[in-house]
């Protein structure tokens, strides 16, 4: 398979992967709504309807981007035209609301924990669509590999840095597999022991988004006890977390080069 063919395969597979995740989540929510779990009138179900609407908008944007993309980095990493400043706490709450129904249907407890105060606030400069995509895939992975117990979304300060932690009480990852989990289409041996039909792209997508934003993504895991993924938003004096001007230049150059024929 040529490099171009591999890129095309990853692009379409990544699109199908994330659209499928969104559709599955929405199907679960709609079934719960039919069963009356969110209330019986518009006001009671308004919050979950807003979550569904936001999810649909993100899916539409991903599909539009795939139809118009010229670079694999732009599709699975960062889109320069989407870069803006946003509050990561708002985005985390959106992910929490989106995956709460899935956690409930799986008999799991999903928690979102924020601090009362942060040293330098929670503003991030970046592509919010892709940052959401990164976090969504990490949360989906945690829920998928947790048979019982809890999944936690935590936003904390580590020194001056802002750290996002996705922790679970799941089956864990063997040490010899940790080096491979971010490879495209790689699935751990544990996949055969859980109800998993994944494509092996979720963690790859998360890593590509993190790398494109200059974020540090790491993992710690103990078999039988759980896994923690940590995303570090490095501190920049007098600037929001995330992308800075230097990274803008690099992104622009990379996309210009990749667009040549």
């Amino acid at each position: 398979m040529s490099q171009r063919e591999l890129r095309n395969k990853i692009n379409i597979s990544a699109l199908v992967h994330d659209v499928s995740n969104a559709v599955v989540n929405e199907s679960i929510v709609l079934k719960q709504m039919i069963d009356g779990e969110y209330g019986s009138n518009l006001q009671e179900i308004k919050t979950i309807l807003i979550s569904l609407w936001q999810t649909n908008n993100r899916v539409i944007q991903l599909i539009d981007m795939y139809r118009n993309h010229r670079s694999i980095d732009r599709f699975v990493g960062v889109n320069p035209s989407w870069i803006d400043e946003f509050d990561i706490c708002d985005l985390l709450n959106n992910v929490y609301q989106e995956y709460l129904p899935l956690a409930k249907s799986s008999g799991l407890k999903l928690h979102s924990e924020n601090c009362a105060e942060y040293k330098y606030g929670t503003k991030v400069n970046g592509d919010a669509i892709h940052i959401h995509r990164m976090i969504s895939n990490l949360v989906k992975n945690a829920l998928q590999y947790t048979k019982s117990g809890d999944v936690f979304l935590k936003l904390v300060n580590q020194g001056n840095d802002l750290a996002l932690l996705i922790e679970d009480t799941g089956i864990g990852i063997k040490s010899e597999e940790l080096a491979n989990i971010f490879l495209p289409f790689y699935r751990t041996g544990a996949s055969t022991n859980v109800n998993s039909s994944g494509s092996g792209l979720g963690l790859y997508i998360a890593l590509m988004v993190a790398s494109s934003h200059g974020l540090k993504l790491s993992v710690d895991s103990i078999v039988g006890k759980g896994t923690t993924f940590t995303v570090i938003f490095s501190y920049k004096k007098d600037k929001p977390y995330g992308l800075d001007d230097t990274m803008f230049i690099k992104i622009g150059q990379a996309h210009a080069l990749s667009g040549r024929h």
Side-chain angles (χ1 to χ4, degrees):
M1 181 181 296
S2 69
Q3 190 70 19
R4 185 182 184 86
E5 288 173 333
L6 178 59
R7 287 186 176 185
N8 287 337
K9 180 180 179 181
I10 290 175
N11 268 338
I12 188 62
S13 297
L15 175 65
V16 171
H17 175 275
D18 283 0
V19 170
S20 175
N21 282 349
V23 171
V24 169
N25 286 350
E26 290 183 346
S27 179
I28 290 171
V29 171
L30 290 173
K31 179 61 168 64
Q32 291 174 348
M33 289 177 68
I34 291 170
D35 292 340
E37 295 186 29
Y38 295 99
S40 57
N41 59 59
L42 179 59
Q43 193 59 39
E44 290 175 340
I45 65 175
K46 187 174 182 179
T47 299
I48 196 65
L49 287 176
I50 290 173
S51 179
L52 288 173
W53 173 71
Q54 291 172 331
T55 298
N56 276 340
N57 282 344
R58 283 191 298 273
V59 169
I60 291 169
Q61 287 175 297
L62 285 176
I63 293 172
D64 285 343
M65 184 171 63
Y66 176 78
R67 289 188 302 195
N68 299 311
H69 86 282
R70 296 175 65 108
S71 162
I72 187 172
D73 296 326
R74 186 171 300 191
F75 187 66
V76 297
V78 57
N79 188 327
S81 64
W82 289 353
I83 294 172
D84 202 355
E85 188 173 307
F86 62 94
D87 193 320
I88 191 68
C89 281
D90 292 340
L91 191 148
L92 284 176
N93 182 63
N94 187 258
V95 174
Y96 171 73
Q97 294 294 337
E98 183 178 346
Y99 279 90
L100 196 59
L102 178 60
K104 184 177 180 180
S105 70
S106 302
L108 302 172
K109 293 180 180 179
L110 181 61
H111 310 266
S112 182
E113 300 179 3
N114 296 334
C115 297
E117 295 183 7
Y118 294 90
K119 282 187 177 181
Y120 300 100
T122 55
K123 294 293 184 180
V124 170
N125 200 49
D127 176 346
I129 296 294
H130 275 95
I131 293 289
H132 180 281
R133 200 176 180 191
M134 173 187 71
I135 300 171
S136 177
N137 275 296
L138 292 174
V139 172
K140 175 68 184 302
N141 184 81
L143 292 171
Q144 184 172 315
Y145 289 97
T146 302
K147 293 181 179 179
S148 63
D150 306 83
V151 173
F152 300 86
L153 283 74
K154 299 180 180 180
L155 188 67
V156 300
N157 276 129
Q158 289 186 358
N160 291 331
D161 296 338
L162 199 60
L164 169 64
L165 290 79
I166 294 91
E167 302 177 356
D168 66 58
T169 58
I171 59 179
I173 306 167
K174 294 179 180 179
S175 57
E176 61 267 27
E177 293 186 306
L178 284 175
N180 299 320
I181 62 173
F182 294 108
L183 296 175
F185 306 114
Y186 180 82
R187 300 183 69 212
T188 69
S191 299
T192 59
N193 298 320
V194 297
N195 184 19
S196 169
S197 57
S199 62
L201 277 172
L203 296 182
Y204 168 78
I205 292 170
L207 179 62
M208 290 299 98
V209 175
S211 298
S212 296
H213 282 80
L215 310 177
K216 301 173 185 175
L217 173 58
S218 61
V219 57
D220 293 292
S221 188
I222 300 176
V223 174
K225 292 190 176 181
T227 300
T228 299
F229 285 92
T230 303
V231 182
I232 299 295
F233 295 78
S234 298
Y235 170 71
K236 298 178 179 67
K237 187 176 181 180
D238 299 325
K239 294 181 180 179
Y241 294 98
L243 290 168
D244 58 28
D245 294 339
T246 302
M247 295 177 186
F248 284 141
I249 295 172
K250 291 180 180 178
I251 291 170
Q253 290 174 340
H255 287 164
L257 290 171
S258 63
R260 293 178 182 175
H261 296 281

